[in-house]
């Protein structure tokens, strides 16, 4: 069998044979030991903003103990909503925001995510790097002059690299929500999944505003721990020159209870209202836009590497 290795990318990745065939019609030996990561954020949103979508198009959050996929999703959120407390998030921030775990370039981190297996979507088998380039290229087609937006699409999920360093699924992927105040009604499984979360019994945290002030702004809110907040903090720590709109998109793109469910507006300020436009603009490229069009990653690599060199060059501290 002739293995095609047109780019250093394939020397560093462990893409499956099927995935490489999708790119270039070539074959490559399959690597073993992927990290299994469930990403419920790719599933059907129950929020009003998505109510018009036909149920048959995407999997839903209905409970069916006989359906292993639905049970995995439900259990992931059950653990998330049980263990994501104020103290838990503060502990994770103390641990991860030392930025002493690894040193890696953006492109190396992107390639590494191909060892991450997303089991939430058994019907469409696309590697993470393809999703990254598809998202970026769709943004590029509609916003050709905003190169920072293209790069944002490419890197938005890179915070999932935490899954390779001991972080459980429920603290990496899925929807995010504020801790330290009453949980929004549009959070998935809201009525049953928080019953064992101790913050729900703490009068400091279980009221509408909890530990926050009215209209204090989302930048002053402590969010549940996940890949959004981590990647935002990585970029800030490494002095990325991406504009504020890009950092905002990355930080809040999984905050569906806000931007799709309409919850937590009482905590938002004027800046949040203005930035909501950019979060919604980003999410239409990230969610429900899977395409059968396969990007020529090798041909695109020089362009995106030039953007990385422009906005976040060299090795970053993670």
């Amino acid at each position: 069998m002739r293995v095609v290795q047109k780019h250093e990318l394939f020397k560093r990745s462990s893409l499956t044979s099927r995935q490489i065939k999708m790119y270039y019609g070539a074959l490559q030996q399959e690597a073993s030991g992927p990290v299994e990561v469930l990403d419920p954020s790719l599933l059907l949103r129950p929020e009003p903003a998505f109510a018009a979508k036909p149920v048959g198009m995407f999997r839903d959050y209905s409970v069916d103990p006989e359906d292993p996929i639905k049970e995995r999703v439900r259990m992931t959120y059950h653990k998330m909503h049980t263990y994501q407390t104020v103290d838990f998030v503060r502990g994770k921030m103390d641990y991860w925001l030392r930025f002493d775990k690894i040193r890696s370039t953006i492109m190396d981190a992107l390639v590494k995510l191909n060892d991450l297996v997303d089991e939430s979507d058994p019907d469409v088998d696309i590697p993470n790097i393809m999703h990254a380039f598809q998202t970026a290229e769709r943004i590029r087609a509609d916003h050709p002059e905003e190169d920072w937006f293209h790069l944002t699409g490419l890197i938005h999920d890179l915070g999932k690299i935490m899954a390779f360093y001991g972080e459980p699924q429920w603290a990496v992927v899925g929807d995010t929500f504020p801790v330290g105040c009453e949980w929004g009604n549009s959070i998935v499984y809201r009525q049953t999944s928080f019953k064992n979360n101790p913050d729900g019994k703490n009068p400091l945290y279980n009221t509408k505003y909890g530990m926050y002030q009215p209209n204090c702004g989302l930048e002053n809110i402590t969010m549940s721990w996940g890949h959004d907040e981590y990647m935002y903090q990585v970029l800030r720590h490494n002095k990325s020159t991406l504009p504020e709109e890009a950092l905002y998109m990355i930080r809040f793109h999984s905050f569906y209870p806000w931007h799709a469910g309409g919850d937590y507006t009482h905590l938002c300020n004027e800046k949040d209202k203005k930035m909501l436009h950019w979060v919604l603009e980003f999410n239409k490229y990230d969610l429900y836009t899977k395409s059968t069009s396969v990007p020529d990653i090798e041909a695109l690599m020089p362009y995106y590497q030039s953007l990385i060199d422009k906005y976040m060059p060299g090795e970053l501290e993670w």
Side-chain angles (χ1 to χ4, degrees):
M1 183 190 307
R2 183 173 68 90
V3 176
V4 177
Q5 292 183 319
K6 291 185 176 181
H7 192 278
E8 183 65 21
L9 163 69
F10 300 124
K11 297 179 182 178
R12 291 175 289 155
S13 83
S14 53
L15 303 177
T16 66
S17 301
R18 180 178 176 184
Q19 292 163 354
I20 297 298
K21 187 175 181 180
M22 291 174 70
Y23 293 144
Y24 302 115
L27 296 174
Q28 182 171 356
Q29 187 176 21
E30 185 171 350
S32 61
V35 176
E36 297 181 355
V37 173
L38 173 68
D39 194 343
S41 66
L42 297 180
L43 306 181
L44 176 65
R45 312 260 35 101
E47 298 88 345
F50 297 96
K53 282 192 173 291
V55 173
M57 288 181 61
F58 307 104
R59 297 190 304 280
D60 60 39
Y61 283 110
S62 60
V63 176
D64 182 356
E66 302 302 317
D67 187 320
I69 298 298
K70 289 183 178 180
E71 273 299 282
R72 284 203 301 267
V73 174
R74 187 183 70 82
M75 289 307 299
T76 296
Y77 274 104
H78 179 82
K79 292 176 182 176
M80 180 193 302
H81 296 166
T82 298
Y83 301 121
Q84 290 267 10
T85 64
V86 172
D87 288 344
F88 173 83
V89 174
R90 287 172 176 169
K92 289 301 177 183
M93 294 179 73
D94 179 66
Y95 176 76
W96 283 102
L97 303 189
R98 300 173 192 174
F99 305 107
D100 58 357
K101 304 303 177 286
I102 59 171
R103 293 183 63 91
S104 172
T105 66
I106 289 292
M107 199 61 73
D108 283 341
L110 190 65
V111 171
K112 186 173 180 62
L113 283 187
N114 279 297
D115 285 335
L116 182 153
V117 176
D118 178 1
E119 291 189 335
S120 70
D121 194 345
D123 301 318
V124 180
D125 181 16
I126 60 173
N128 281 268
I129 198 169
M130 185 184 293
H131 170 64
F133 275 91
Q134 283 181 331
T135 303
E137 281 295 284
R138 288 192 296 270
I139 292 172
R140 185 181 179 187
D142 289 353
H143 300 269
E145 303 303 318
E146 294 162 331
D147 64 354
W148 60 267
F149 199 178
H150 314 164
L151 184 57
T152 301
L154 188 74
I155 68 171
H156 71 279
D157 276 343
L158 283 188
K160 293 179 182 178
I161 198 171
M162 289 188 293
F164 296 99
Y165 298 93
E167 205 59 66
Q169 298 177 12
W170 50 265
V172 176
V173 299
D175 297 359
T176 59
F177 57 91
V179 296
C181 64
E182 186 178 71
W183 301 300
N185 288 328
S186 67
I187 297 176
V188 296
Y189 306 111
R190 165 69 176 86
Q191 300 307 313
T192 59
S193 58
F194 286 98
K195 62 181 181 180
N196 292 322
N197 187 311
D199 284 0
K201 301 177 178 64
N202 189 331
L204 296 176
Y205 303 144
N206 62 8
T207 62
K208 180 179 179 178
Y209 291 100
M211 62 183 190
Y212 308 113
Q213 297 298 317
N215 307 116
C216 59
L218 296 183
E219 291 178 311
N220 297 307
I221 298 297
T222 301
M223 299 294 295
S224 57
W225 185 252
H227 70 282
D228 298 38
E229 182 69 21
Y230 179 54
M231 192 61 200
Y232 163 77
Q233 295 288 354
V234 166
L235 294 172
R236 287 287 304 271
H237 172 75
N238 287 280
K239 297 179 172 54
S240 167
T241 56
L242 282 171
E244 189 170 26
E245 291 83 355
L247 298 178
Y248 205 94
M249 291 181 212
I250 288 170
R251 192 178 196 182
F252 297 114
H253 74 269
S254 297
F255 188 12
Y256 285 94
W258 168 56
H259 63 70
D263 290 333
Y264 299 106
T265 56
H266 56 286
L267 299 178
C268 296
N269 58 20
E270 289 303 314
K271 178 180 179 179
D272 299 320
K273 295 175 184 178
K274 293 178 182 178
M275 287 293 184
L276 177 59
H277 160 75
W278 285 107
V279 177
L280 293 174
E281 183 67 11
F282 171 79
N283 271 81
K284 75 180 185 182
Y285 300 104
D286 181 35
L287 192 63
Y288 305 140
T289 49
K290 293 172 183 174
S291 170
T292 57
S293 176
V294 179
D296 186 340
I297 291 180
E298 183 179 353
L300 295 171
M301 194 72 70
Y303 172 70
Y304 285 98
Q305 185 61 56
S306 73
L307 300 188
I308 293 170
D309 293 340
K310 177 179 179 180
Y311 290 105
M312 56 197 79
E315 285 191 334
L316 306 188
E317 295 178 340
W318 300 75

